Amino acid sequence: IIFENLLSVFCEFCFSKAWNFKSGIMSAVLNLMNRMGLRWCKQYEVEVLHTALFLVKNAPNDMSLAGKESLKFFTQICWFFFEGPTSWKDSKTLIHDVLCPTRVHIRSESGENDHAIISEASLTLLLSELSSTSHLVRFAIRHALRLITRDTTTSLQTLLSKHTSSLKRLLFPRLLRTLPLPDQVAVIDALAYIVDRAPGLLPISD
């Protein structure tokens, strides 16, 4: 109970404290999770992911260090829960975006094609921000999905197959031309990712 309350307090502080305190709080969360282990932490996966995602969303635009630290924290949380292909662990291209045309593509090793175990609640949380107007949030979500699916198109299509209807509602709430420009960019960015990484998920007729 003590450690549960401690993790809860740390997560609460991530929402309520000023940014100059959050770097230490993020380190405290990771330190506690590493000490308690994955089995204990898995029951708090949704809450911790929600906290990490909030930090990325809430990073002030005028504080570049805040964006860097929050993205690093989110990535570390995702690696803790989902790991990733072993071929990535020493790769300098790990943090590259899946939509970057110049990136060196690193496929997962044979035998690593099955996606990681993720709860439906956690997956729903991630997908809800796939078309965020924040480019940093969209990047973070795409990177998390790469880890979960071991960077394979087959796994992503399988993982998202039950969420096709919700993705359509997310991407096409109304006519694209009626949306504000930042929302148009976000929708096109998300759609480009899905078409590239799971081409059969949303038929072109839609």
Side-chain angles (χ1 to χ4, degrees), residues 42 45 49 78-84 116-118 148 150:
K42 197 69 176 174
E45 177 184 286
L49 273 177
C78 289
W79 267 95
F80 181 88
F81 283 122
F82 313 123
E83 293 189 341
I117 298 174
I118 180 172
I148 295 165
R150 304 298 185 249

Side-chain angles (χ1 to χ4, degrees), residues 56-69:
V56 178
K57 292 169 63 176
N58 195 51
N61 292 329
D62 57 346
M63 291 178 60
S64 59
L65 186 61
K68 179 181 178 181
E69 289 186 350

Side-chain angles (χ1 to χ4, degrees), residues 100-121:
C100 177
T102 58
R103 73 183 180 92
V104 178
H105 188 68
I106 297 180
R107 288 289 185 184
S108 58
E109 296 177 351
S110 58
E112 291 186 339
N113 291 335
D114 293 332
H115 62 71
I117 298 174
I118 180 172
S119 68
E120 284 296 311

Side-chain angles (χ1 to χ4, degrees), residues 8-106:
S8 177
V9 169
F10 285 157
C11 289
E12 182 183 342
F13 283 169
C14 287
F15 286 89
S16 60
K17 293 295 184 179
W19 263 99
N20 55 319
F21 292 101
K22 290 184 179 180
S23 179
I25 298 170
M26 288 186 280
S27 296
V29 171
L30 287 168
N31 188 39
L32 177 61
M33 291 175 63
N34 285 322
R35 287 178 179 274
M36 298 305 295
L38 179 60
R39 184 175 181 180
W40 181 86
C41 294
K42 197 69 176 174
Q43 58 188 319
Y44 307 110
E45 177 184 286
V46 179
E47 291 80 2
V48 176
L49 273 177
H50 179 231
T51 301
L53 190 55
F54 169 80
L55 290 171
V56 178
K57 292 169 63 176
N58 195 51
N61 292 329
D62 57 346
M63 291 178 60
S64 59
L65 186 61
K68 179 181 178 181
E69 289 186 350
S70 63
L71 183 61
K72 179 181 178 181
F73 177 67
F74 179 84
T75 304
Q76 288 173 320
I77 292 297
C78 289
W79 267 95
F80 181 88
F81 283 122
F82 313 123
E83 293 189 341
T86 54
S87 57
W88 286 13
K89 292 187 177 179
D90 297 318
S91 171
K92 295 180 181 179
T93 63
L94 170 63
I95 204 66
H96 282 200
D97 196 348
V98 293
L99 293 181
C100 177
T102 58
R103 73 183 180 92
V104 178
H105 188 68
I106 297 180

Side-chain angles (χ1 to χ4, degrees), residues 102-202:
T102 58
R103 73 183 180 92
V104 178
H105 188 68
I106 297 180
R107 288 289 185 184
S108 58
E109 296 177 351
S110 58
E112 291 186 339
N113 291 335
D114 293 332
H115 62 71
I117 298 174
I118 180 172
S119 68
E120 284 296 311
S122 295
L123 182 58
T124 300
L125 173 66
L126 294 177
L127 293 180
S128 69
E129 297 294 342
L130 185 60
S131 61
S132 168
T133 53
S134 166
H135 69 281
L136 194 62
V137 173
R138 296 196 303 271
F139 173 86
I141 298 302
R142 290 195 293 261
H143 185 71
L145 291 174
R146 285 184 73 193
L147 293 181
I148 295 165
T149 61
R150 304 298 185 249
D151 204 26
T152 61
T153 56
T154 307
S155 281
L156 182 64
Q157 191 149 319
T158 302
L159 183 69
L160 302 184
S161 60
K162 297 180 181 179
H163 298 266
T164 304
S165 297
S166 59
L167 283 172
K168 289 179 182 177
R169 289 194 298 270
L170 177 70
L171 297 175
F172 312 117
R174 56 183 193 270
L175 290 175
L176 187 63
R177 65 174 179 269
T178 65
L179 297 174
L181 183 58
D183 294 89
Q184 291 184 29
V185 172
V187 168
I188 292 171
D189 201 31
L191 187 59
Y193 169 73
I194 292 175
V195 170
D196 178 59
R197 306 303 302 154
L201 189 65
L202 298 177

